[in-house]
Amino acid sequence: MHSLASINIVDLLLDAVCIVDPEGRYLYVSQAYERIFGYDPQEVLGRRMIELVHPDDRERTLAAARNIMAGHLQLHFENRYIRKDGQVAHIRWTARWLPEQQVRLAVAHDITERKHTESLQAALYAISEAAQAAEDLESLFARIHQIIGGFVSAENFCVALHDPHNDRLEFPYHVDKRDAPRPAPIALSGSGPYEEVVRHGRTLLCTQNAEDGAPGDWLGVPLQTQGGVLGALVLRSHGLPSQYTERDKELLQYVCTQVASAVERRQMRERLERLAQYDQLTQLPNRQLFLDRLRAALARARREQTLLSLLFIDLDRFKEVNDTLGHATGDQLLQGVAQRLRGCVRASDTVARLGGDEFVVLVENGRTRDHATTVASKILDAFALPFDLQERSLHMRPSIGVALYPEHGQEEHHLLSHADAAMYQSKKNGGNRVMTASTGS
C-alpha cells in the first residue's frame, strides 16, 4: 500500500483518506479516520464500507460507488455514517477509481458541524412557520415534535405547560412509544424534576426509572420567555440510559427559545380569538360564534336529513334583580344560569349568550319533534331550584321559545326569529313555560 499513498504525509491531513477494493472492503484508512468515524484504522480494515453507512443512505451510496467504478470522478458526494459511539457523522466525499490498481481512492471531509448548524437554522425557521400556520396549540406541538425529531431522538416527547392560577402543570401534548396514557395535571411543588425545570428555569438531564423499573434518560428544557417560564419540553428514553448528551441539551436549549416564543404567540392568538368569540362574563359563545355554528349545523342537517332545534331563553323579571340587588349580583346570576344551561345539554350542543339576559340553545341530530321539548322541560326543571349567590338565594324562571328545522324555516335568521317570537308568546302567557313556534308565524 505504500506505493499508493505517502503514509506519513497523509496521516497529517485532517481529512481521512480511504482505499477500498472492488467489493467495498477497506484496504487502507489514514489516521484521521479515527477522529471522524471513531474507529481505530485497524478496526475497519477488511470490513465493507457500506456496513458503516447510515441505513437510509446505503442505496444511493452503492449507486455512487458503481458510478465511480465506471470511470466517473465523484466530487462532493454527501452521506451519513454511524460513528462507533452511535452518533451520526455527515461526510462529504471526493473519490475516483484507479483502474490499474483496481481500487477506489476517496477522501472524507467531516461536515457534521456545518450540517448541525444548517439543520438548527432550518428548525428555527420551521418552528416560526409552524407558529403562524398551526390551527391550535396541539397541532403546533405535533409539528414541533416532528421538527425536533429531525436532529435528536424524540420517540417519547411531551410538552408541559404551567397553569399559574392553580400552580400546576398540564400536559396538552404527550407521545409515548409504549402508548402510556397522557399524564394527569400535577401540582408544581416539591423537589421533582419538573420543579427544577419550570420553577427555576434550569435544563435538567437525569436518569429515572420507568414504571417497569427500567432506567432511562429524562431530559427537560424550560420554555423560557421574557415574561417567565411557560412550561417545559421533555424527552424520555425507556431503558436507554445515557442516550442524551450534553450536546443534545445545548441543541434543545437553543431551539426551545424559539419554541417558547412560538407557544407564547399561539397562546396570545387563541386568547384574542376567544375574546372575539366568547362572552367574557359567562364564557359562553357570543352571538357571532353562535351564528357561525348555527350555519354549520344547518348544513349538516340538510346533508344528513335530521332535525335541528333552537331554544330561545329569556329570564323572567331579571331587570328587577339588577335594580334591587345591583349589577354585581345580576352578573353572578347570569354566570349561574350559564352553568345550569350547560348542564342540561350534551357536549355536542351549543349554549350561547346573545346579550343581556337572552340565551339560546342549539340542539342537533334530533329525530323527532319531542327532542326539543324534552330539552326545554329539562331546563324548566333545572330552574325550579334556587340559585345560590354568595349570601342570598334567588329563584329565577325562564321563558322558552322553540323553533325547529325544517318546519319553522330553512335559514338561520328565520329559525332565530321564530324562536324569539315563541319566547315572547311564552312571556305574554305568564312566563316559566315553553312555547313552540307556529308553522304560519
Side-chain angles (χ1 to χ4, degrees):
M1 282 303 111
H2 285 251
S3 62
L4 297 173
S6 178
I7 301 300
N8 293 334
I9 295 177
V10 168
D11 283 343
L12 297 178
L13 298 176
L14 296 178
D15 292 341
V17 177
C18 307
I19 299 175
V20 299
D21 66 14
E23 286 74 39
R25 293 184 178 86
Y26 285 112
L27 299 177
Y28 165 79
V29 297
S30 65
Q31 290 298 321
Y33 192 95
E34 183 172 10
R35 179 186 66 81
I36 297 173
F37 299 93
Y39 291 94
D40 182 275
Q42 295 301 316
E43 294 181 274
V44 296
L45 294 182
R47 291 185 64 177
R48 295 185 71 227
M49 163 274 299
I50 200 66
E51 296 174 3
L52 305 182
V53 175
H54 191 288
D56 293 344
D57 292 352
R58 288 177 182 174
E59 185 175 343
R60 64 186 188 87
T61 298
L62 290 173
R66 290 191 293 269
N67 192 47
I68 294 168
M69 293 171 67
H72 301 285
L73 178 64
Q74 178 67 65
L75 298 173
H76 308 312
F77 174 76
E78 295 183 6
N79 64 359
R80 293 168 294 174
Y81 276 66
I82 306 298
R83 287 174 44 89
K84 186 176 181 179
D85 60 9
Q87 299 297 310
V88 175
H90 293 260
I91 308 298
R92 187 181 68 212
W93 292 94
T94 299
R96 65 179 301 176
W97 174 248
L98 303 180
E100 293 183 2
Q101 289 80 13
Q102 290 289 292
V103 295
R104 293 200 309 270
L105 173 66
V107 177
H109 180 64
D110 188 0
I111 58 172
T112 304
E113 286 301 319
R114 192 198 80 191
K115 284 292 186 180
H116 273 302
T117 300
E118 291 175 353
S119 64
L120 280 178
Q121 292 300 323
L124 295 182
Y125 181 75
I127 290 169
S128 180
E129 275 195 325
Q132 299 298 323
E135 295 183 357
D136 50 36
L137 276 175
E138 186 169 1
S139 61
L140 173 62
F141 294 143
R143 178 65 181 127
I144 288 172
H145 181 192
Q146 183 183 35
I147 293 167
I148 289 177
F151 59 86
V152 65
S153 176
E155 289 182 305
N156 309 297
F157 178 99
C158 80
V159 177
L161 293 183
H162 182 217
D163 175 5
H165 300 293
N166 299 306
D167 197 25
R168 67 180 188 179
L169 287 179
E170 298 178 344
F171 298 85
Y173 185 83
H174 177 263
V175 173
D176 187 283
K177 69 177 181 180
R178 297 185 179 184
D179 295 324
R182 180 178 301 192
I186 60 172
L188 190 60
S189 59
S191 57
Y194 283 109
E195 173 85 9
E196 181 78 8
V197 175
V198 178
R199 188 78 80 192
H200 303 293
R202 298 170 184 159
T203 298
L204 180 63
L205 174 59
C206 60
T207 299
Q208 287 189 325
N209 287 331
E211 293 181 0
D212 60 3
D217 280 351
W218 190 96
L219 175 56
V221 185
L223 298 174
Q224 182 79 53
T225 69
Q226 291 184 346
V229 178
L230 299 178
L233 186 152
V234 177
L235 303 181
R236 179 76 187 267
S237 64
H238 292 310
L240 293 172
S242 303
Q243 178 175 357
Y244 298 116
T245 64
E246 290 297 319
R247 180 181 181 81
D248 293 329
K249 282 176 58 177
E250 294 173 3
L251 291 174
L252 284 173
Q253 282 179 298
Y254 182 68
V255 170
C256 276
T257 301
Q258 186 76 0
V259 172
S261 178
V263 172
E264 188 175 45
R265 290 200 303 273
R266 184 66 250 185
Q267 286 180 326
M268 177 61 71
R269 188 186 305 177
E270 290 190 353
R271 282 195 292 268
L272 292 175
E273 290 172 353
R274 186 168 185 86
L275 285 172
Q277 295 180 326
Y278 287 83
D279 173 58
Q280 295 308 296
L281 177 64
T282 62
Q283 298 304 306
L284 293 177
N286 61 16
R287 177 183 290 271
Q288 186 57 54
L289 180 56
F290 165 73
L291 290 175
D292 290 342
R293 291 188 180 180
L294 177 56
R295 279 189 285 269
L298 281 169
R300 284 191 293 271
R302 294 187 193 101
R303 184 172 61 251
E304 299 169 9
Q305 296 186 337
T306 57
L307 300 179
L308 181 149
S309 307
L310 207 56
L311 283 66
F312 203 111
I313 302 164
D314 186 270
L315 304 181
D316 298 338
R317 294 189 294 277
F318 175 75
K319 185 175 183 298
E320 295 178 10
V321 175
N322 277 340
D323 291 345
T324 59
L325 301 177
H327 288 278
T329 300
D331 287 348
Q332 293 176 30
L333 177 59
L334 291 174
Q335 290 171 334
V337 167
Q339 183 176 359
R340 200 162 291 188
L341 288 175
R342 277 194 294 255
C344 294
V345 300
R346 303 163 301 182
S348 58
D349 299 325
T350 295
V351 178
R353 183 187 180 203
L354 300 186
D357 60 330
E358 292 182 338
F359 296 83
V360 65
V361 176
L362 171 61
V363 181
E364 295 191 61
N365 299 319
R367 296 294 176 181
T368 67
R369 296 177 84 258
D370 294 340
H371 187 71
T373 53
T374 298
V375 174
S377 296
K378 189 175 181 180
I379 292 173
L380 287 180
D381 291 341
F383 275 67
L385 298 173
F387 290 85
D388 294 324
L389 306 176
Q390 293 183 354
E391 299 178 355
R392 57 174 55 87
S393 180
L394 290 178
H395 284 275
M396 180 55 57
R397 303 297 189 183
S399 291
I400 304 176
V402 177
L404 305 174
Y405 166 85
E407 182 177 342
H408 299 123
Q410 301 283 330
E411 304 298 333
E412 61 269 15
H413 63 277
H414 289 144
L415 287 173
L416 197 57
S417 177
H418 288 170
D420 185 25
M423 181 275 295
Y424 274 108
Q425 191 62 39
S426 170
K427 197 172 284 289
K428 286 181 181 179
N429 290 337
N432 192 33
R433 68 190 63 216
V434 179
M435 297 293 294
T436 300
S438 62
T439 305
S441 62

